[in-house]
Amino acid sequence: MRNGVTIGQAAAFVGVTVKTVRHYHKLGLVEEPERDSSGYRRYGSADLLRLVQVRTLAAAGVPLAEIGPVLNADATQLATALADVGRQLTERIEELIARRDTLDRLVDGDQALLGDRAVALLERMVGLGFPAGEVANAREGWILAKVLVPDGFDDYLAHVEHALDDPRYVALIKRAAEAAAWEPDDPRVAELATAMAEHYLANPAHLKIVTALQARTEAATRYTLIARHGEEQTSATTRAAAVFENELRAAGIHIPRPDAR
């Protein structure tokens, strides 16, 4: 009577593939049984036990390179090694949970990129009747602002929250959104830019929306990337922004120039 089972039977009993068993052999995790008189390797109870132990640890997330030392340790060392593996698994679980939470926020949209406060402001703009294009442009500009001027982003949002309480400000920004469809040489462009400059100068709290995102270093580059986001170089919006900024500069407000450093 032949003792033991074939590699195929051993793999099936343990719940792995033959290829996996052979991989365990290659790594030295399980010794290969001697061949019997018929030339077959027969796996006895001790071999099956070792296979079960290796498979169980591997399934628990223990790296294959660490399984050998764990199983070969004495009782005290084994307990210590398993406790250490448990801590590592806990860290991996926490990392995976954090990744899952990030994916959940991405599914929800802007929370992962902007945070709840900015998302609430975008929703508020929609409720106030801002055009979808203006809301989308604000969203993209805010993403850039959060990356380029992270220290000033929360203060900037606070200024926007305050300004949205003023119907005059809301009406002015809606008007500016409409200007995107105007021709650059439309006389209304300069009129709008002047009206916006006058409003900001008359409302210092609102003016902080313009000045809050000026970075301490590379100010001109970062400011231009944010302020000019989404504009075509020959658009009415670009012309209005240029007139608006020049009027603020004329009033003594520091606005970085695109050609400055």
Side-chain angles (χ1 to χ4, degrees):
M1 180 175 179
R2 295 173 179 174
N3 295 321
V5 297
T6 65
I7 187 172
Q9 291 172 316
F13 290 161
V14 174
V16 296
T17 65
V18 170
K19 182 178 180 181
T20 297
V21 174
R22 287 178 174 150
H23 187 55
Y24 291 165
H25 290 326
K26 182 178 180 180
L27 295 177
L29 297 176
V30 179
E31 291 186 6
E32 285 188 282
E34 296 293 332
R35 297 182 185 276
D36 63 14
S37 58
S38 300
Y40 291 98
R41 296 188 187 279
R42 296 286 173 175
Y43 291 74
S45 58
D47 301 315
L48 291 176
L49 175 60
R50 181 74 175 194
L51 281 171
V52 169
Q53 291 172 327
V54 172
R55 182 214 61 188
T56 301
L57 289 174
V62 180
L64 291 179
E66 299 177 15
I67 289 178
V70 168
L71 290 179
N72 295 332
D74 60 31
T76 301
Q77 293 174 326
L78 176 61
T80 301
L82 289 177
D84 185 55
V85 170
R87 284 192 294 271
Q88 293 178 32
L89 289 175
T90 298
E91 292 174 359
R92 289 179 60 191
I93 289 170
E94 291 173 350
E95 180 184 353
L96 290 172
I97 289 173
R99 290 184 181 181
R100 184 199 62 193
D101 291 344
T102 298
L103 287 174
D104 289 342
R105 289 195 298 271
L106 284 172
V107 170
D108 291 338
D110 296 326
Q111 273 88 350
L113 296 172
L114 287 171
D116 293 340
R117 187 177 188 180
V119 170
L121 271 177
L122 292 174
E123 292 173 351
R124 186 177 174 191
M125 291 175 67
V126 173
L128 288 170
F130 281 86
E134 176 65 16
V135 175
N137 193 57
R139 171 190 176 275
E140 293 176 356
W142 292 358
I143 291 172
L144 286 174
K146 187 174 182 180
V147 172
L148 296 174
V149 196
D151 293 341
F153 188 63
D154 283 340
D155 288 341
Y156 170 80
L157 293 180
H159 301 322
V160 174
E161 287 170 343
H162 175 73
L164 290 179
D165 290 331
D166 187 339
R168 296 169 300 170
Y169 173 83
V170 172
L172 196 61
I173 299 303
K174 287 182 181 179
R175 182 69 170 163
E178 295 174 2
W182 299 349
E183 292 298 325
D185 58 355
D186 190 315
R188 293 176 297 174
V189 172
E191 294 172 2
L192 173 63
T194 298
M196 291 182 67
E198 291 175 348
H199 175 86
Y200 280 110
L201 292 171
N203 297 271
H206 296 182
L207 182 60
K208 292 178 181 178
I209 294 174
V210 180
T211 60
L213 295 179
Q214 295 180 18
R216 296 177 183 177
T217 59
E218 297 178 324
T221 299
R222 300 187 192 210
Y223 173 85
T224 302
L225 284 169
I226 298 168
R228 294 290 185 271
H229 167 72
E231 293 180 6
E232 296 180 8
Q233 295 302 310
T234 58
S235 71
T237 303
T238 299
R239 182 178 172 229
V243 174
F244 167 73
E245 290 175 357
N246 284 335
E247 295 205 13
L248 290 185
R249 293 188 187 101
I253 306 301
H254 175 70
I255 303 294
R257 296 181 181 276
D259 56 351
R261 293 187 177 181

